[in-house]
Amino acid sequence: MKRREFMAASCVAGLAPLSMSKLADAAESCDAPKKEFYELRLYSFASTEKRDAFCEFLGKAAIPALNRLGISPVGAFQLIEEGDTIDLYVLLPCGCPATLLSSTTKLMKDETYLKDGAAVLGAPMSDPAFASLESSLLLAFDGIPKTEVPTKKASRIFQLRTYQSHNAERAKKKVAMFNNGELETFRATGMNPVFFGEALVGSKMPNLTYMLGFDDMAANEAAWEKFRAHPKWIEMKNDPQYKDTVSQITNLMLRPAKCSQI
């Protein structure tokens, strides 16, 4: 599967009425958010040098400015094994969807951000800072309402997984499966969550995306082996109510960029 198909740049198309309702409800309760919203971005670059320059821009200008808006911690991740594209995944967690939706407008009024990020922000059309940008919007699960940072080891790696379902009812059932025991089993077996989010806007709807963090690849492999053998997981995967909840899985192994706060 092409990684470019992982997410779609669609901030309006595909937004179901139910999702609009969730956004409206959340916007009204931003003073005391119960669950975070996430914007997950995928930047693609013409060269590794371009990506390195963009990561420097993130660390020097963009991430401090986003933090000032209340968007924190910001994650930035590269694929462990690069393919035919040069990508960077950026996670923006926030308690208020209105903050995410208005972030670009507010950043353009932040004099410090404009000054510190001038080299990238002023890049000409003939030599753009990045080749393309795709984005999806997610709502956190009840079982993990806010972003977690499970490890800060230099050797840490992250696993980003998307589960696509063939209809909305089965997608909701998969979310319920995580909330009703699967997420608890993840924690018990060393599958450390960073975030779990139900897609409100994006491609290949309906789907959910989650990220796990590990000290290193050995910890990742050991945790998955332990999880697959856990009695609770075996019980849940054989429960008829959770049959056919996932039609397709996308799995990416990532390492943090130097600028990442996760």
Side-chain angles (χ1 to χ4, degrees):
M1 174 182 292
K2 295 180 179 179
R3 287 191 298 276
R4 290 180 183 273
E5 296 177 353
F6 181 70
M7 297 176 291
S10 173
C11 289
V12 178
L15 188 62
L18 179 60
S19 300
M20 289 290 283
S21 174
K22 286 180 178 178
L23 283 171
D25 291 345
E28 291 178 357
S29 60
C30 284
D31 290 339
K34 294 182 179 179
K35 297 193 294 183
E36 287 183 326
F37 284 77
Y38 306 109
E39 184 183 358
L40 185 59
R41 296 181 179 180
L42 169 58
Y43 291 91
S44 294
F45 300 87
S47 66
T48 55
E49 290 77 14
K50 284 289 186 183
R51 184 176 60 193
D52 290 345
F54 194 81
C55 286
E56 184 177 352
F57 157 76
L58 288 177
K60 180 180 179 181
I63 290 178
L66 289 165
N67 290 168
R68 291 194 290 272
L69 295 178
I71 299 172
S72 178
V74 176
F77 312 93
Q78 301 171 205
L79 288 160
I80 291 178
E81 294 185 5
E82 301 280 7
D84 55 356
T85 59
I86 301 167
D87 298 330
L88 185 72
Y89 291 86
V90 177
L91 176 68
L92 305 178
C94 189
C96 181
T99 299
L100 284 174
L101 295 173
S102 64
S103 61
T104 299
T105 299
K106 291 179 179 178
L107 288 174
M108 290 298 104
K109 298 177 181 179
D110 185 327
E111 294 298 330
T112 301
Y113 168 73
L114 296 176
K115 178 183 177 181
D116 292 344
V120 165
L121 296 172
M125 184 183 296
S126 59
D127 188 25
F130 54 87
S132 65
L133 166 60
E134 303 175 5
S135 177
S136 59
L137 180 67
L138 307 106
L139 175 63
F141 285 15
D142 291 343
I144 175 169
K146 296 186 178 182
T147 311
E148 298 181 11
V149 182
T151 176
K152 292 293 286 186
K153 280 197 171 185
S155 59
R156 68 193 185 279
I157 63 165
F158 296 90
Q159 192 165 12
L160 186 67
R161 290 168 66 83
T162 292
Y163 291 177
Q164 182 182 350
S165 301
H166 70 280
N167 65 40
E169 186 277 332
R170 289 289 85 189
K172 287 292 185 182
K173 203 66 176 179
K174 184 58 189 176
V175 173
M177 186 178 181
F178 273 114
N179 285 328
N180 294 336
E182 189 174 357
L183 182 52
E184 180 182 346
T185 308
F186 269 32
R187 293 186 185 277
T189 56
M191 307 267 279
N192 310 307
V194 175
F195 78 91
F196 276 67
E198 177 186 0
L200 302 180
V201 181
S203 67
K204 299 184 178 179
M205 300 279 282
N207 67 69
L208 64 87
T209 294
Y210 67 88
M211 176 178 281
L212 305 173
F214 304 90
D215 287 344
D216 51 37
M217 189 62 74
N220 168 274
E221 294 170 355
W224 274 105
E225 184 176 353
K226 190 175 181 180
F227 171 77
R228 294 188 185 102
H230 197 283
K232 182 62 175 179
W233 164 241
I234 294 172
E235 175 190 346
M236 294 192 79
K237 77 173 182 178
N238 291 322
D239 190 331
Q241 68 173 313
Y242 299 126
K243 183 179 180 181
D244 297 333
T245 54
V246 178
S247 59
Q248 188 169 331
I249 296 175
T250 300
N251 181 62
L252 301 174
M253 299 305 300
L254 308 171
R255 59 182 175 87
K258 290 182 180 179
C259 61
S260 183
Q261 295 180 320
I262 297 176

